[in-house]
Every structure is written in structure tokens, then in C-alpha cells.
């Protein structure tokens, strides 16, 4: 396995400042409730929250997609729910990456049932080529090609989350083949 830098720490930080400014400009006055999707989005959340000037509240949600290795099966489940109600709130889901769109389309459905004032999505990365379910992502950091990436919160088998850059994880044999390898049990996206 080898790592190749796709997005540098500098590129990521510059883009997040732009996203924060755009979010501040788009929303009417008032607080914003950030819902961080564990585990992959924890690093993005920390930087995005600090790039937003208005009052924010932070909530965490655990989602598990049971799939093999590097792709999700389409079966999604909430493993950790919100601690506080978001009824009447402006909610911004903070996600690391949109791949098939299965996780986020499920999550939008779940959060709409909590009767927030609004729900939008901010994702650091988007792999549009892989989409199976349509999802509207209001704030995208970077569109990336169909390659498996790690770092800046994203993992492979729980490794590499602490890398400062986003890197492509290459195994030299073609990543889809690697999907048949042993998956991390009950992947925490
Ligand atoms: P989706 O439901 O297929 O859109 O996948 C969503 C989740 O799969 C993301 O939140 C990630 O946790 C994980 N995922 C998708 N692509 C990658 C990747 O390239 N690297 C690491 N995790 C990924
Ligand atoms: Mg995730």
C-alpha cells in the first residue's frame, strides 16, 4: 500500500475558510446546529466550526454502513443518536465524503423527521462518479476522482485518520479488487 498526496493541508485549510464565509453569508441571523457524522468528519468539523463566525452548536451522530472494505452495502443504521433536539433549528450536516450517497440520503430522511427549520449538507469531498442515490450537497470542499482516499479524518480499517493531507491509498492491484479483503467489523463511517 502506498500513499499519494491528493490535497495538501494548505489547500484544505484555504478551502474551509471559504466554505465558512459562504455559510455565514447564506444563513439568516441566528445559530447554526452542526451535526458531525462520526467518525470520518471529526477533523473537518473542528476546522469548519472555527471558520464559521456565528453562534454554533455541535452535535454528533454515529452512522454505520455495513459493507465490505471500501464500499458500503446500502444498509445504514444509526449507532449514536443526537443528544439534543434539533426541532426548529437550522441544521448543517457535516460529512467527510459523499460516495454512493446512500448514507446521506438515509440521514436526510432521519433528520427531516426531527422537524428542523432547515437541513443542508456540507461535505469536504465529493466523488460524483460513484453516486447511486441523488443527494443535494450545498457545500462541497473538493470534487475528487473515483479513488479511495484517507487522511484528514478519513480511514482505511481505522488507520490514517490523523494525516494532515488527504491522500490516495494505492495498493497497486486496483482498489475495487481490494473490496474482497477482510472488512473492518461494522464500519463506523
Ligand atoms: P456513501 O454512503 O457510499 O456515500 O459513503 C459514505 C461513507 O463511506 C463516507 O462517510 C465515508 O466514511 C466512507 N467512504 C466513502 N469513500 C471513502 C474513501 O474514499 N475513503 C474513506 N472513506 C470513504
Ligand atoms: Mg463518513
Amino acid at each position: 500500500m502506498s500513499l499519494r498526496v491528493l490535497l495538501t493541508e494548505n489547500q484544505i485549510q484555504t478551502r474551509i475558510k471559504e466554505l465558512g464565509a459562504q455559510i455565514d453569508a447564506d444563513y439568516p441571523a441566528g445559530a447554526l446546529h452542526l451535526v458531525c457524522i462520526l467518525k470520518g468528519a471529526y477533523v473537518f468539523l473542528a476546522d469548519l466550526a472555527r471558520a464559521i463566525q456565528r453562534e454554533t452548536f455541535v452535535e454528533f451522530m454515529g452512522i454505520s454502513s455495513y459493507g465490505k472494505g471500501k464500499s458500503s452495502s446500502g444498509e445504514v443504521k444509526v449507532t449514536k443518536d443526537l443528544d439534543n433536539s434539533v426541532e426548529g433549528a437550522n441544521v448543517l450536516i457535516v460529512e467527510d465524503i459523499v460516495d454512493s450517497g446512500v448514507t446521506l440520503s438515509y440521514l436526510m430522511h432521519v433528520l427531516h423527521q426531527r422537524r428542523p427549520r432547515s437541513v443542508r449538507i456540507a461535505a469536504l469531498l465529493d466523488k460524483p462518479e460513484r453516486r447511486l442515490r441523488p443527494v443535494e450537497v450545498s457545500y462541497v470542499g473538493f470534487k475528487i476522482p473515483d479513488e479511495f482516499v484517507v487522511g484528514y479524518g478519513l480511514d482505511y480499517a481505522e488507520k490514517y485518520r490523523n494525516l494532515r493531507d488527504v491522500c490516495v491509498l494505492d495498493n497497486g492491484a486496483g482498489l475495487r479488487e481490494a473490496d474482497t479483503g477482510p472488512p473492518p467489523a461494522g464500519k463506523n463511517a
Side-chain angles (χ1 to χ4, degrees):
M1 299 258 209
S2 66
L3 294 171
R4 170 167 49 88
V5 175
L6 182 68
L7 299 165
T8 65
E9 180 178 8
N10 260 337
Q11 285 176 287
I12 297 167
Q13 294 304 328
T14 301
R15 183 68 185 123
I16 290 175
K17 289 195 180 83
E18 292 171 1
L19 290 177
Q22 200 191 327
I23 289 164
D24 271 324
D26 285 357
Y27 279 89
L32 188 58
H33 292 243
L34 302 175
V35 173
C36 173
I37 308 309
L38 295 171
K39 298 178 187 177
Y42 78 105
V43 183
F44 179 40
L45 170 87
D47 287 335
L48 184 66
R50 289 177 295 176
I52 294 171
Q53 301 298 314
R54 70 184 53 230
E55 185 176 39
T56 59
F57 294 93
V58 173
E59 287 286 326
F60 294 90
M61 212 160 172
I63 303 285
S64 177
S65 46
Y66 291 94
K68 285 187 172 185
K70 300 191 178 76
S71 59
S72 41
S73 61
E75 226 183 285
V76 189
K77 170 173 127 175
V78 174
T79 55
K80 188 222 170 290
D81 209 337
L82 303 174
D83 291 327
N84 296 292
S85 161
V86 291
E87 192 171 337
N90 285 317
V91 171
L92 183 62
I93 298 173
V94 179
E95 175 63 303
D96 51 2
I97 186 166
V98 197
D99 188 27
S100 69
V102 168
T103 305
L104 280 174
S105 62
Y106 172 78
L107 207 59
M108 284 299 268
H109 169 75
V110 168
L111 285 178
H112 273 300
Q113 292 174 335
R114 313 287 172 88
R115 287 190 267 159
R117 183 182 302 167
S118 69
V119 195
R120 287 185 186 172
I121 297 169
L124 179 71
L125 306 171
D126 183 9
K127 284 196 243 184
E129 288 166 51
R130 297 258 299 163
R131 203 72 89 252
L132 297 175
R133 301 265 173 87
V135 205
E136 192 189 328
V137 186
S138 302
Y139 305 98
V140 174
F142 302 89
K143 287 202 165 126
I144 63 166
D146 179 12
E147 290 185 288
F148 195 83
V149 290
V150 295
Y152 198 76
L154 292 105
D155 74 308
Y156 175 61
E158 296 301 325
K159 288 197 290 186
Y160 309 113
R161 292 194 196 272
N162 61 334
L163 300 179
R164 290 174 171 271
D165 306 316
V166 168
C167 301
V168 172
L169 182 65
D170 257 316
N171 63 4
L175 286 167
R176 300 296 153 218
E177 280 73 38
D179 282 358
T180 53
K187 183 175 75 142
N188 287 307

